């Protein structure tokens, strides 16, 4: 195993809370057991792929700082039963299983059979981990336990499935990245009596739970409108936009949402690009739209923090802990 100890020291130095239980789990579970891809990037605190579909969608194991953050917020104890929605290659499931111990149970659910088979092949010697395919994220699996105590959702959803929230016991909670593809918050949703109490823990950037939703393709009108609304709000918060420009962009959002639902994205359906209504609307909104384009690109492909990366400018830690 490459120098995980050095990585953990850098994460702690970067402000990531890591309990002794999490540290021991990450020291004992080898990332290389869960992917055939090069894991060098993992040790500079980046996500590492574990699977690619025939359509080109990539599924990754989260960067170490996010793995540690998720485990921290899960508040795991020995003997607990934990549900994980989203396979993440089986790595996080193994860490959770290590923390909850032989008396605990980890149930991994994923809507991709390929992801399920991958996890099963990597966790053959982990008897406390069960892995099942979901027919749909919104449909409870057959004969699933009636009460849920801890849920970790490892991919973007607009909201947690109702069948999960309905089964949460008192004090139980769901930890999930909630939002759109371009804007998410890590949210802890706890059952308190009849109420579900959400607590936002900070912005995050996860791919969707269902790998099929991660397959590359052109952006449709509603997706572009969502991104524009977020960009407009961000510019307003930072006082970077004039009223006239904001009005023009808000009109563009309205016009995009008024396009037919069955309109294919640009580049599909045999329509010339220059004749596509989305392209025409964007040209009409120029230059306001194009001034926002760099921000939209950043929202589509966010630059993620790397608190566990070697700091080559730090005399106390010059990166010598990192061994490729």
């Amino acid at each position: 195993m490459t120098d995980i100890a050095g990585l953990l020291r850098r994460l702690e130095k970067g402000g990531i809370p890591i309990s002794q239980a999490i540290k021991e789990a990450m020291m004992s579970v080898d990332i290389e057991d869960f992917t055939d891809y090069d894991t060098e990037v993992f040790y500079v605190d980046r996500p590492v792929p574990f699977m690619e579909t025939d359509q080109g969608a990539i599924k990754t194991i989260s960067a170490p700082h996010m793995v540690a953050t998720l485990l921290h917020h899960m508040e795991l104890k020995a003997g607990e039963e934990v549900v994980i929605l989203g396979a993440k290659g089986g790595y996080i499931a193994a860490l959770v299983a290590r923390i909850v111990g032989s008396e605990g149970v980890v149930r991994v659910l994923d809507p991709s059979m390929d992801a399920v088979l991958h996890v099963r092949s990597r966790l053959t010697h982990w008897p406390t981990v069960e892995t099942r395919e979901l027919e749909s994220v919104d449909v409870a699996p057959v004969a699933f336990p009636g009460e849920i105590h801890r849920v970790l959702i490892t991919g973007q959803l607009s909201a947690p499935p109702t069948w999960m929230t309905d089964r949460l016991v008192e004090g139980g909670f769901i930890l999930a990245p909630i939002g759109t593809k371009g804007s998410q918050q890590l949210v802890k949703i706890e059952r308190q009596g009849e109420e579900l109490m959400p607590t936002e823990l900070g912005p995050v950037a996860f791919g969707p739970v269902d790998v099929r939703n991660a397959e590359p393709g052109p952006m449709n009108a509603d997706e572009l409108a969502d991104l524009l609304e977020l960009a407009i709000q961000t510019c307003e918060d930072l006082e970077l936009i004039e009223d006239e420009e904001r009005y023009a962009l808000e009109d563009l959002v309205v016009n995009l949402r008024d396009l037919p639902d069955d309109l294919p994205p640009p580049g599909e359906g045999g329509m010339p690009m220059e004749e596509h209504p989305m392209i025409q609307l964007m040209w009409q909104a120029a230059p306001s739209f194009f001034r926002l384009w760099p921000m939209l690109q950043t929202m589509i492909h966010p630059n993620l923090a790397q608190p566990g990366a070697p700091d080559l400018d730090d005399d106390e830690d010059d990166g010598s802990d990192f061994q490729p």
Side-chain angles (χ1 to χ4, degrees):
M1 186 186 298
T2 307
D3 187 15
I4 189 71
L7 171 62
L8 293 174
R9 285 196 298 272
R10 292 191 295 273
L11 289 175
E12 288 184 299
K13 187 175 180 180
I16 304 299
I18 303 178
S19 68
Q20 187 61 31
I22 294 173
K23 184 178 297 184
E24 290 176 359
M26 294 186 74
M27 288 287 291
S28 64
V29 177
D30 192 344
I31 183 66
E32 295 182 6
D33 292 339
F34 299 91
T35 179
D36 295 326
Y37 288 80
D38 187 353
T39 58
E40 180 177 344
V41 293
F42 188 79
Y43 296 97
V44 292
D45 200 21
R46 298 294 289 178
V48 60
F50 72 88
M51 189 181 80
E52 180 177 1
T53 70
D54 293 338
Q55 290 73 34
I58 301 291
K59 292 293 283 183
T60 64
I61 298 168
S62 296
H65 76 272
M66 184 51 62
V67 172
T69 298
L70 295 175
L71 294 175
H72 167 74
H73 288 301
M74 285 298 289
E75 304 173 18
L76 298 171
K77 299 179 179 64
E80 285 188 320
E81 296 185 9
V82 181
V83 178
I84 300 177
L85 175 55
K88 286 295 181 184
Y91 177 66
I92 291 180
L95 294 172
V96 172
R98 175 70 169 76
I99 294 170
V100 301
S102 59
E103 300 301 316
V105 177
V106 182
R107 296 184 172 90
V108 180
L109 306 173
D110 200 287
S112 164
M113 192 61 200
D114 288 339
V116 168
L117 293 175
H118 176 95
V119 172
R120 286 177 179 170
S121 70
R122 305 298 170 129
L123 292 172
T124 54
H125 301 299
W126 293 78
T128 61
V129 180
E130 305 171 4
T131 310
R132 298 177 61 176
E133 180 189 15
L134 279 179
E135 176 184 343
S136 166
V137 170
D138 296 321
V139 178
V142 176
F144 199 75
E147 293 186 342
I148 295 177
H149 298 260
R150 293 281 189 276
V151 179
L152 173 59
I153 298 177
T154 66
Q156 169 264 331
L157 289 175
S158 58
T162 302
W163 68 267
M164 282 188 169
T165 56
D166 287 347
R167 298 187 188 196
L168 274 180
V169 301
E170 178 69 20
F173 63 80
I174 297 171
L175 184 67
I178 300 298
T180 65
K181 291 180 182 180
S183 176
Q184 304 158 28
Q185 282 280 334
L186 185 63
V187 182
K188 178 181 177 182
I189 303 168
E190 183 174 358
R191 166 72 65 187
Q192 295 183 11
E194 297 299 317
E195 301 293 326
L196 293 172
M197 307 300 293
T199 302
E200 292 188 352
L201 301 171
V204 290
F206 281 77
V209 169
D210 193 335
V211 68
R212 290 166 293 190
N213 295 332
E215 291 168 358
M219 187 178 297
N220 64 34
D222 278 335
E223 290 171 336
L224 179 56
D226 287 341
L227 274 178
L228 279 170
E229 285 184 331
L230 179 60
I232 293 167
Q233 184 61 56
T234 301
C235 286
E236 283 188 311
D237 293 343
L238 298 175
E239 299 181 353
L240 296 176
I241 191 169
E242 300 292 335
D243 286 346
E244 184 177 350
E245 189 172 42
R246 177 168 58 83
Y247 296 148
L249 291 169
E250 288 174 345
D251 286 343
L252 174 57
V253 169
V254 171
N255 291 332
L256 286 168
R257 296 204 187 281
D258 284 342
L259 292 175
D261 292 338
D262 59 355
L263 178 70
E268 295 185 358
M271 184 184 301
M273 287 287 286
E274 65 274 10
E275 296 179 10
H276 195 283
M278 281 180 63
I279 302 299
Q280 292 180 343
L281 287 174
M282 286 186 280
W283 276 112
Q284 291 170 15
S288 299
F289 173 79
F290 294 109
R291 195 175 79 81
L292 279 187
W293 184 244
M295 181 180 293
L296 297 177
Q297 288 284 76
T298 300
M299 291 174 175
I300 297 169
H301 304 289
N303 292 317
L304 303 179
Q306 294 174 260
D311 184 355
L312 299 181
D313 295 325
D314 191 333
D315 291 335
E316 295 181 3
D317 183 358
D318 61 1
S320 59
D321 286 334
F322 172 60
Q323 301 174 10

